[in-house]
């Protein structure tokens, strides 16, 4: 049977008090709506329609990379039923199942979606509502049952005080029989406290028509948390982090303090890696096995091999670190930094678009930008590649086994040949052949008794 997904994402998200549309706020490193779409893709939908409205262009732009999505625009936004109606042109001939998701419910699992589809089809229902029993139902629509069966859903603002005591809530996620759904939605009126067209009203309409309305109740209410405010956003983020940390720990990763492990959903970490408190692993980062990542480090969109040590307070973005590398404390690797096997990067070293070859070292205070550094090179403290001449970025090449003395400036483009030595305090303007020694500092001049003589001159 065909499954069609509709995601509601047109609302302003007034309670967020934000210039950004609600569904583009991020949790676990991704916009809320991305989580919803990823979950939805697990049921292999025939079509996916997203209802956008408030800042439609921004939402569209954020989802540009995703395929097989149809957008329907809801303008003005008159409620969730009105929102679903805007998907009608896209789904006119749809048969099978229509699954309605909310762009602001990011923790829903694909298992629940599969259960929803299973229950809906096996019971021959016209509508099936995903519900949860929660301690604090404030803000949610309440499920009103007569006997065992769902009779209707009442929004908090329209509920009597007795109804507000009900702790079973509407998740805003439903399965509907696609055929006839839009005609039924058109019969919903806006006779309520908010003067909006409420999609949950479909439940009582279907029941009055004698149609079957089913429910499934999630066992973990976290799954259907809606994000309507900043504090709910923080709560959803926290749940995502906890889930991710639990998943990694189950796979053999040590996380010293899961409460401060900020690991995005898309990140992978190998077994026996140890993650200390207050570490952020973001985006498409992959970390190998047996690594140790110390506190205060942030690693974004980077690939890290096995047995790598990242000491405290490193910032690593769009970089590659091969096996057995060690980095930091206080290192900054960015923009295609490529640190090869066993190489060491020490404190206050910055690498940009630079290869640091296998076994090479840059242990203190250096800027290595646009450089290709061979194997077993020693880069002394205070070395700077002067890669920018004010117009162009130029490359520095340092070949295998070279030794760069401390406080060297390499004015690119320039090459230091195999095994060559550069003396401390040298400014390299011309390439150095293999095996040569280059020094540029002048002969030292020493003035004996200079301090004493100056005192005499100044009469002090
Ligand atoms: C809705 C449900 C409530 C349920 C809760 C679960 C209604 C009337 N109420 O309430 O029963 O407990 O979700 O989270 O449906 N949207 C549009 N166009 C609109 C209005 C909303 O696209 O005109 C979108 C929003 O962007 C959002 C979703 O629909 O993604 C839900 O809207 P929201 O205003 O957050 O509804 P709730 O008050 O949370
Ligand atoms: Ca909501």
């Amino acid at each position: 049977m065909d499954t069609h997904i509709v995601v509601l994402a047109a609302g302003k998200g007034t309670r967020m008090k934000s210039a950004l549309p609600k569904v583009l706020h991020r949790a676990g490193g991704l916009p809320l709506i991305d989580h919803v779409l990823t979950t939805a893709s697990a049921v292999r939908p025939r079509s996916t329609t997203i209802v956008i409205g408030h800042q439609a262009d921004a939402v569209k732009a954020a989802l540009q990379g995703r395929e097989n999505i149809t957008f329907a625009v809801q303008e003005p936004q008159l409620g969730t039923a009105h929102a679903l109606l805007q998907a009608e042109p896209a789904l006119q001939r749809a048969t099978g199942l229509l699954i309605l998701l909310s762009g602001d419910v990011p923790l829903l699992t694909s298992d629940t979606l599969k259960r929803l589809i299973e229950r809906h089809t096996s019971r021959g229902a016209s509508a099936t509502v995903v519900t949860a029993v929660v301690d604090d139902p404030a803000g949610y629509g309440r499920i009103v049952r007569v006997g065992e069966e769902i009779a209707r859903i009442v929004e908090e603002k329209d509920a009597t005080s007795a109804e507000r005591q009900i702790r079973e809530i509407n998740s805003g996620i439903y399965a509907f029989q696609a055929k006839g759904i839009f005609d039924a939605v058109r019969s919903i009126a806006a006779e309520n406290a908010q003067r909006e067209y409420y999609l949950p009203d479909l439940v009582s309409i279907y029941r009055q028509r004698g149609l079957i309305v089913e429910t499934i109740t999630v066992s973990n209410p976290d799954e259907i948390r809606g994000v309507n405010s900043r504090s709910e956003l923080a709560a959803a983020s926290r749940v995502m982090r906890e889930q991710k940390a639990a998943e990694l720990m189950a796979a053999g990763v040590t996380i010293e303090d899961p409460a401060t492990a900020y690991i995005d959903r898309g990140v992978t970490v190998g077994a026996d890696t140890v993650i200390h408190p207050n570490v952020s692993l973001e985006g498409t980062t992959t970390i190998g096995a047996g690594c140790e990542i110390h506190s205060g480090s942030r690693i974004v969109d980077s690939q890290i091999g096995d047995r790598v040590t990242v000491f405290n307070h490193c910032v690593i973005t769009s970089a590659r670190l091969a096996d057995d590398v060690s980095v930091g404390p206080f290192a900054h690797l960015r923009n295609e930094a490529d640190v090869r096997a066993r190489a060491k990067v020490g404190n206050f070293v910055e690498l940009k678009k630079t290869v640091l070859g296998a076994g090479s070292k840059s242990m203190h205070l250096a800027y290595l930008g646009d450089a290709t550094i061979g194997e077993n090179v020693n880069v002394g403290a205070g070395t700077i590649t002067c890669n920018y001449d004010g117009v162009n970025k130029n490359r520095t090449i340092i070949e295998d086994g070279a030794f760069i003395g401390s406080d060297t400036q390499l004015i690119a483009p320039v090459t230091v040949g195999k095994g060559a030595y550069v003396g401390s305090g040298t400014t390299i303007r011309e390439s150095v052949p293999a095996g040569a020694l280059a020094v540029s500092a002048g002969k030292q001049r020493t003035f004996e008794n200079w301090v004493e003589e100056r005192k005499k001159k100044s009469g002090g």
Side-chain angles (χ1 to χ4, degrees), residues 371-423:
T372 305
I373 300 171
E375 299 185 1
N376 301 312
V377 168
N378 198 311
V379 178
T383 296
I384 294 170
T385 55
C386 308
N387 57 330
Y388 186 49
D389 58 16
V391 182
N392 296 308
K393 296 277 171 71
N394 301 302
R395 287 201 79 79
T396 298
I397 296 168
I398 303 175
E399 294 179 352
D400 295 351
F403 180 96
I404 311 296
S406 295
D407 191 26
T408 292
Q409 302 109 58
L410 298 133
I411 300 182
V414 78
T415 299
V416 176
K418 237 182 183 174
Y421 268 62
V422 173

Side-chain angles (χ1 to χ4, degrees), residues 75-292:
E75 192 62 57
Q77 292 96 44
L78 302 178
T80 45
H82 178 254
L84 175 54
L85 268 188
Q86 312 314 308
E88 185 174 15
L91 292 170
Q92 241 159 12
R93 273 176 217 90
T95 57
L97 213 62
L98 191 158
I99 305 282
L100 189 105
L101 304 174
S102 248
D104 65 348
V105 181
L107 292 161
L108 182 76
T109 64
S110 49
D111 282 350
T112 295
L113 274 190
K114 288 172 189 162
R115 257 184 75 212
L116 170 66
I117 293 170
E118 212 284 312
R119 173 71 58 93
H120 183 83
T121 45
S122 69
R123 299 288 167 95
S126 294
T128 304
V129 183
V130 178
T131 77
V133 178
V134 297
D135 293 335
D136 177 13
Y140 289 98
R142 310 297 206 279
I143 305 293
V144 180
R145 289 183 185 269
V146 173
E148 296 276 278
E149 285 183 57
I150 182 168
R152 58 194 179 89
I153 298 173
V154 60
E155 291 305 301
E156 165 129 334
K157 286 186 177 137
D158 304 294
T160 62
S161 57
E163 286 166 339
R164 284 188 192 174
Q165 303 305 309
I166 298 172
R167 287 170 45 235
E168 187 182 9
I169 58 134
N170 172 25
S171 68
I173 291 153
Y174 321 81
F176 298 111
Q177 209 167 76
K179 203 163 168 291
I181 175 78
F182 295 108
D183 285 334
V185 170
R186 255 188 290 278
S187 68
I188 292 172
E191 286 154 11
N192 52 57
Q194 305 192 84
R195 298 269 153 247
E196 279 187 10
Y197 296 90
Y198 288 169
L199 187 58
D201 285 356
L202 211 53
V203 170
S204 57
I205 291 171
Y206 275 4
R207 288 306 311 273
Q208 279 157 22
R209 294 181 187 176
L211 298 171
I212 300 173
V213 180
E214 274 289 336
T215 58
I216 65 161
T217 305
V218 292
S219 50
N220 176 6
D222 274 343
E223 240 196 81
I224 52 86
R225 275 172 188 277
V227 172
N228 301 298
S229 63
R230 304 276 179 160
S231 68
E232 285 172 350
L233 180 67
S237 298
R238 196 190 61 237
V239 172
M240 263 178 219
R241 284 202 302 277
E242 284 169 0
Q243 284 173 350
K244 183 68 187 182
E247 191 184 293
L248 291 174
M249 289 189 288
V253 177
T254 293
I255 299 182
E256 282 192 348
D257 180 14
T260 65
Y262 294 77
I263 306 175
D264 287 352
R265 272 189 172 175
V267 171
T268 64
V269 183
D272 287 323
T273 284
V274 177
I275 297 173
H276 292 265
N278 274 309
V279 163
S280 294
L281 306 177
E282 303 176 23
T284 57
T285 294
T286 62
I287 310 256
C291 296
E292 185 146 15

